[in-house]
Amino acid sequence: MDRFHRIFPALALCLLPLAHADTRQPQPCDDALLASLAAQLGQQDWTLPHERGDESLVAAACKPWPDDPTLSVVTLAYRDAGDTTPAGERDLKWLVAKVDTQSGQLRERYDDYLGEDAALEIDAGSLWLDTARYHLAPDVRAFGVLVRSVARGASCPDAGFNELLTLVVPEGPRLRPVFSTYLYAWTTVKGTSCVMDSDFQSEQANLTLGLGPKQAHGYADLVVTAHVRAGRQEPVLRKVSTTLRYDGKHYPFDQFSTFWMRETQP
């Protein structure tokens, strides 16, 4: 399946903001951990990803698990040795996992693919782990994986999106995605982006997640809040929120969310 073509209880909403990509702290992986993972995945000769992302291991992020110092969470984008498909056209293997920090042994995992195209291209800094306090149930703590594209995209777009966040929860030896959406989006309000005139106006939204005071099917509600601006450095024009209820399998939500746009607001 290609996902790219395709506190508890609380009295008030608890916001769990994700910093912008430019200010996120690095999440490097230890050489020994990468070597162990490569062996388990049938790969070899992995080195730390370079900025261009042209090695077998294209991107990697590792972070200690807050609830247990003996565990870490990792995410990798990689391809088989000898695959010379150019960047922007690759079908990269994608791993999200919990591992034993000392041995690198996989504990729980989720495997998928990142199919690159005009809108998605991965480099060494494209993956980032979010271990905020996503306590969806008393014994369930989710964590997030952020995928940031470096693709140039269309030459004259009227909208855009980036920073796809996916939340996963443990399910036996597997990790299961329960929520996914882009945390950054923009849209044209007036005019055309390619025409440099005074009529062009756009709005952008940065999304944050919080946990609501209610629950459904044993999982807390998710509250998605859009902070809407006329530009990255502009003040917030408005905040728009929507509440998601777990349906027993996932939180139904559009990856390309539009609830914050003017014409879609109630």
Side-chain angles (χ1 to χ4, degrees):
M1 171 183 169
D2 186 343
R3 301 180 61 80
F4 286 79
H5 293 285
R6 25 173 195 104
I7 295 168
F8 190 79
L11 296 177
L13 173 65
C14 175
L15 289 180
L16 304 172
L18 263 167
H20 188 263
D22 294 340
T23 60
R24 295 190 183 110
Q25 295 298 311
Q27 298 176 337
C29 296
D30 180 81
D31 287 339
L33 176 56
L34 290 179
S36 175
L37 290 171
Q40 293 174 76
L41 297 170
Q43 306 297 313
Q44 59 184 350
D45 300 327
W46 272 2
T47 59
L48 291 174
H50 299 294
E51 182 178 350
R52 292 179 300 170
D54 56 1
E55 303 293 334
S56 295
L57 180 59
V58 177
C62 299
K63 189 176 182 181
W65 182 238
D67 289 350
D68 187 342
T70 68
L71 299 176
S72 295
V73 288
V74 304
T75 181
L76 312 172
Y78 62 100
R79 56 182 174 171
D80 292 327
D83 183 351
T84 59
T85 307
E89 301 176 14
R90 300 168 298 191
D91 201 18
L92 300 175
K93 297 177 181 180
W94 182 31
L95 172 73
V96 181
K98 279 186 183 178
V99 302
D100 181 276
T101 302
Q102 286 295 108
S103 67
Q105 188 66 36
L106 288 163
R107 293 292 187 86
E108 301 161 357
R109 63 189 288 179
Y110 170 69
D111 296 89
D112 207 338
Y113 292 89
L114 300 175
E116 293 182 319
D117 57 16
L120 177 68
E121 183 178 332
I122 303 300
D123 74 359
S126 288
L127 299 179
W128 197 82
L129 292 156
D130 173 23
T131 57
R133 295 181 179 87
Y134 296 113
H135 292 288
L136 302 183
D139 58 347
V140 177
R141 178 171 180 167
F143 69 93
V145 181
L146 195 76
V147 179
R148 179 178 61 86
S149 173
V150 297
R152 297 184 65 178
S155 59
C156 188
D158 57 10
F161 51 89
N162 209 334
E163 303 185 3
L164 182 65
L165 177 71
T166 300
L167 292 185
V168 296
V169 298
E171 189 173 73
R174 301 294 178 183
L175 294 171
R176 178 171 59 87
V178 293
F179 171 80
S180 184
T181 197
Y182 288 95
L183 295 183
Y184 171 78
W186 72 273
T187 188
T188 298
V189 175
K190 183 180 180 182
T192 304
S193 62
C194 292
V195 179
M196 300 302 293
D197 59 34
S198 58
D199 287 337
F200 176 70
Q201 297 178 20
S202 66
E203 288 185 347
Q204 69 171 49
N206 293 94
L207 273 56
T208 57
L209 300 185
L211 301 184
K214 298 181 180 180
Q215 53 184 288
H217 298 280
Y219 276 26
D221 293 349
L222 281 182
V223 180
V224 183
T225 300
H227 305 256
V228 185
R229 296 176 171 85
R232 284 194 182 274
Q233 305 302 319
E234 299 298 319
V236 174
L237 298 173
R238 63 185 183 276
K239 294 182 181 180
V240 187
S241 296
T242 186
T243 298
L244 313 179
R245 311 220 76 194
Y246 186 67
D247 66 3
K249 295 183 177 180
H250 68 295
Y251 292 89
F253 196 62
D254 191 348
Q255 284 188 353
F256 309 94
S257 63
T258 60
F259 73 96
W260 56 272
M261 298 180 186
R262 293 181 184 179
E263 63 271 19
T264 62
Q265 295 177 51

